[in-house]
Coordinates of all heavy atoms in Angstrom, one line a residue:
D345 N -7.0 17.8 17.2 CA -5.9 16.8 16.8 C -4.5 17.4 16.9 O -3.6 16.7 17.3 CB -6.2 16.3 15.4 CG -6.7 14.9 15.4 OD1 -7.1 14.4 16.5 OD2 -6.7 14.2 14.4
W346 N -4.4 18.7 16.5 CA -3.1 19.3 16.6 C -2.6 19.4 18.1 O -1.5 19.1 18.5 CB -3.1 20.7 16.0 CG -2.9 20.7 14.6 CD1 -3.8 21.1 13.6 CD2 -1.7 20.3 13.8 NE1 -3.2 20.9 12.3 CE2 -2.0 20.5 12.5 CE3 -0.5 19.8 14.2 CZ2 -1.1 20.2 11.5 CZ3 0.5 19.5 13.3 CH2 0.2 19.7 11.9
A347 N -3.6 19.8 19.0 CA -3.2 19.8 20.4 C -2.9 18.5 20.9 O -1.9 18.3 21.7 CB -4.4 20.4 21.2
W348 N -3.6 17.5 20.5 CA -3.4 16.1 20.9 C -2.0 15.6 20.4 O -1.2 15.0 21.1 CB -4.5 15.2 20.4 CG -4.2 13.7 20.5 CD1 -4.5 13.0 21.6 CD2 -3.5 12.8 19.6 NE1 -4.0 11.7 21.5 CE2 -3.4 11.6 20.2 CE3 -3.0 13.0 18.3 CZ2 -2.9 10.5 19.6 CZ3 -2.4 11.9 17.7 CH2 -2.3 10.7 18.3
L349 N -1.7 16.0 19.1 CA -0.4 15.6 18.6 C 0.8 16.2 19.4 O 1.8 15.5 19.6 CB -0.3 16.1 17.1 CG 1.0 15.8 16.4 CD1 1.3 14.3 16.3 CD2 1.0 16.5 15.0
R350 N 0.7 17.4 19.8 CA 1.8 18.0 20.6 C 2.0 17.3 21.8 O 3.2 17.0 22.3 CB 1.5 19.5 20.8 CG 1.6 20.4 19.6 CD 1.5 21.9 20.0 NE 1.9 22.7 18.9 CZ 3.1 23.0 18.5 NH1 4.1 22.6 19.3 NH2 3.4 23.8 17.5
D351 N 0.9 16.9 22.5 CA 1.1 16.1 23.7 C 1.6 14.7 23.4 O 2.4 14.2 24.2 CB -0.3 16.0 24.4 CG -0.7 17.3 25.0 OD1 0.1 18.2 25.2 OD2 -1.9 17.4 25.3
A352 N 1.2 14.1 22.3 CA 1.6 12.7 22.0 C 3.1 12.6 21.7 O 3.6 11.5 22.0 CB 0.8 12.2 20.8
V353 N 3.7 13.6 21.2 CA 5.1 13.4 20.9 C 6.0 13.9 22.0 O 7.3 13.9 21.9 CB 5.5 14.2 19.6 CG1 4.8 13.7 18.4 CG2 5.2 15.7 19.7
D354 N 5.4 14.3 23.1 CA 6.2 14.8 24.3 C 6.7 13.5 25.0 O 6.2 12.4 24.8 CB 5.3 15.7 25.1 CG 6.2 16.5 26.1 OD1 7.4 16.5 26.0 OD2 5.6 17.1 27.0
G355 N 7.6 13.7 25.9 CA 8.1 12.6 26.7 C 9.5 12.2 26.4 O 10.1 12.7 25.5
D356 N 9.9 11.2 27.2 CA 11.3 10.6 27.1 C 11.3 9.4 26.2 O 10.8 8.3 26.6 CB 11.8 10.3 28.5 CG 13.2 9.8 28.5 OD1 13.9 10.0 27.5 OD2 13.6 9.1 29.5
H357 N 11.8 9.5 25.0 CA 11.8 8.4 24.0 C 13.1 8.3 23.3 O 13.7 9.4 23.1 CB 10.6 8.6 23.0 CG 9.3 8.9 23.6 ND1 8.6 7.9 24.3 CD2 8.5 10.0 23.6 CE1 7.4 8.5 24.8 NE2 7.4 9.7 24.3
D358 N 13.5 7.2 22.9 CA 14.7 7.0 22.1 C 14.4 7.4 20.6 O 15.3 7.8 19.9 CB 15.2 5.6 22.2 CG 16.0 5.3 23.4 OD1 16.4 6.3 24.1 OD2 16.2 4.1 23.8

Side-chain angles (χ1 to χ4, degrees):
D345 253 13
W346 277 113
W348 172 87
L349 175 63
R350 287 189 171 277
D351 290 339
V353 296
D354 198 11
D356 180 20
H357 311 290
D358 282 344

